[in-house]
Amino acid sequence: MIDIVDEAPDHTGAREGLLDLCFGEDRFRKTSERLREGRLPVFAFSAIDESGKLVGTVRLWSVADRNGSQSLLLGPLAVDPGCRGLKVGDRLMRHALNQAAVLGHGSVILVGDQPYYTRFGFAAGLLDKVGMPGPVDYHRFLALEFTPGHIDGLEGVLSASGVLDPMAVPAAREDVFSVSQAI
């Protein structure tokens, strides 16, 4: 049995290990990471197996367009390779999206694999007036709207918003991001 729970501070090491396993060190070079740096997630959920091992993670972050309109940026979503096929990612996604909708968020944005995310209602081509602060594969730039018209109201380059992480170390390295790399 696998439970979906709120992420706890003691999940940090296991979460980071799982993300390294699933995405490698290049995950820090992605444009989406620029929107997560130095912030706390709005939502963070962990999938925990019967032995107490963290086997999945998903987080959602607050972002704003040039007019200050808010949306959530989903990611990363990761599942332990040993649990693939058990629908852990589906359960994490449905739980996260349900929480976002119930708490009144207007939309969720992500950069990801369209065939996977369409089952949750995400679609490409909705963010024509929205950009990211770096390169992005716009075929993978997907959105899901909870409030009708919310996505149409978004425009400009997204920026990080939400609560600053008091434990974050300021990013001083400019070499982490390369213009030639897309998400």
Side-chain angles (χ1 to χ4, degrees):
M1 176 184 230
I2 295 175
D3 292 317
I4 307 300
V5 299
D6 288 339
E7 183 181 289
D10 63 338
H11 296 161
T12 302
R15 181 195 68 237
E16 290 302 307
L18 178 60
L19 293 173
D20 285 344
L21 175 68
C22 292
F23 300 110
E25 289 296 315
D26 281 349
R27 69 187 172 100
F28 295 110
R29 297 181 185 269
K30 294 184 177 187
T31 300
S32 294
E33 185 63 22
R34 305 292 73 81
L35 296 170
R36 297 188 284 255
E37 288 175 330
R39 302 288 174 162
L40 293 173
V42 176
F43 299 105
F45 302 109
S46 298
I48 307 295
D49 73 8
E50 61 277 349
S51 71
K53 178 184 174 188
L54 185 138
V55 296
T57 180
V58 68
R59 295 171 127 203
L60 293 100
W61 309 81
S62 184
V63 293
D65 73 354
R66 71 172 167 213
N67 299 316
S69 295
Q70 302 286 311
S71 188
L72 293 174
L73 176 71
L74 189 140
L77 168 67
V79 174
D80 185 291
C83 292
R84 296 215 173 115
L86 300 178
K87 304 291 185 190
V88 174
D90 287 13
R91 290 185 56 214
L92 280 164
M93 281 296 298
R94 292 187 194 292
H95 184 80
L97 295 175
N98 182 58
Q99 293 301 305
V102 166
L103 292 175
H105 293 274
S107 62
V108 177
I109 295 168
L110 63 82
V111 180
D113 201 24
Q114 187 175 0
Y116 179 79
Y117 289 105
T118 56
R119 75 180 88 180
F120 305 107
F122 285 89
L126 302 177
L127 299 166
D128 293 337
K129 300 183 298 183
V130 180
M132 297 279 279
V136 64
D137 178 351
Y138 282 94
H139 292 97
R140 295 170 45 87
F141 197 30
L142 311 175
L144 170 64
E145 186 173 67
F146 298 125
T147 303
H150 189 266
I151 292 172
D152 284 340
L154 298 176
E155 59 183 23
V157 175
L158 296 175
S159 61
S161 63
V163 179
L164 291 171
D165 183 350
M167 303 302 290
V169 176
R173 294 180 24 201
E174 293 184 26
D175 65 307
V176 171
F177 182 71
S178 168
V179 175
S180 66
Q181 294 175 325
I183 294 181

